[in-house]
């Protein structure tokens, strides 16, 4: 079983995780936040780490899920905006 070393995560993996996120999101501020959130989530979940993968793979997987959440949130926001625009269009047509 692999022993986690959270005290080394930033020095060992922060640059890699930031590049991974930037390749997918291209927004430095969002990516920096996601990498920080990844470390915090991993720290909270370290007792569930089974050692079936390396620390790097495990952290990358957590980050990947956070990136997916960003895409889902963006999609929902766009869908909501489209609904609002669509309803405004019909509200105006009803008034004429």
């Amino acid at each position: 079983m692999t022993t986690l070393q959270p005290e080394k995560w930033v020095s060992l993996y922060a640059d890699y995780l930031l590049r991974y996120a930037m390749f997918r999101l291209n927004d430095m501020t969002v990516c920096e936040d996601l990498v920080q959130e990844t470390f915090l989530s991993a720290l909270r979940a370290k007792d569930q780490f089974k050692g079936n993968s390396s620390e790097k793979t495990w952290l990358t997987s957590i980050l990947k899920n956070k990136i997916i959440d960003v895409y889902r949130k963006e999609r929902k926001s766009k869908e909501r905006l489209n609904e609002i625009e669509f309803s405004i269009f019909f509200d105006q047509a009803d008034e004429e």
Side-chain angles (χ1 to χ4, degrees):
M1 180 170 171
T2 304
T3 303
L4 294 177
Q5 298 177 314
E7 67 280 358
K8 294 183 180 181
W9 288 348
V10 172
S11 63
L12 292 175
Y13 308 118
D15 290 340
Y16 167 79
L17 293 172
L18 188 58
R19 284 191 308 272
Y20 182 94
M22 279 296 294
F23 183 75
R24 285 148 183 87
L25 295 174
N26 203 27
D27 183 328
M28 182 62 85
T29 303
V30 171
C31 292
E32 289 172 341
D33 289 346
L34 290 179
V35 170
Q36 288 180 11
E37 289 175 25
T38 297
F39 290 139
L40 288 172
S41 293
L43 197 55
R44 287 185 198 113
K46 68 180 180 175
D47 293 335
Q48 284 93 26
F49 180 71
K50 294 180 173 71
N52 296 332
S53 63
S54 68
E55 276 183 319
K56 184 178 179 181
T57 301
W58 184 59
L59 291 168
T60 304
S61 176
I62 294 169
L63 177 59
K64 185 190 324 184
N65 288 321
K66 293 191 175 299
I67 292 169
I68 290 168
D69 289 343
V70 168
Y71 281 116
R72 285 182 183 145
K73 184 177 179 183
E74 286 178 2
R75 187 184 78 222
K76 285 184 181 183
S77 292
K78 287 178 183 176
E79 288 173 359
R80 180 68 184 134
L81 182 59
N82 287 338
E83 288 174 15
I84 292 169
E85 290 173 351
F86 194 70
S87 68
I88 290 171
F89 174 75
F90 279 104
D91 289 343
Q92 290 174 349
D94 292 339
E95 293 173 4
E96 293 178 6

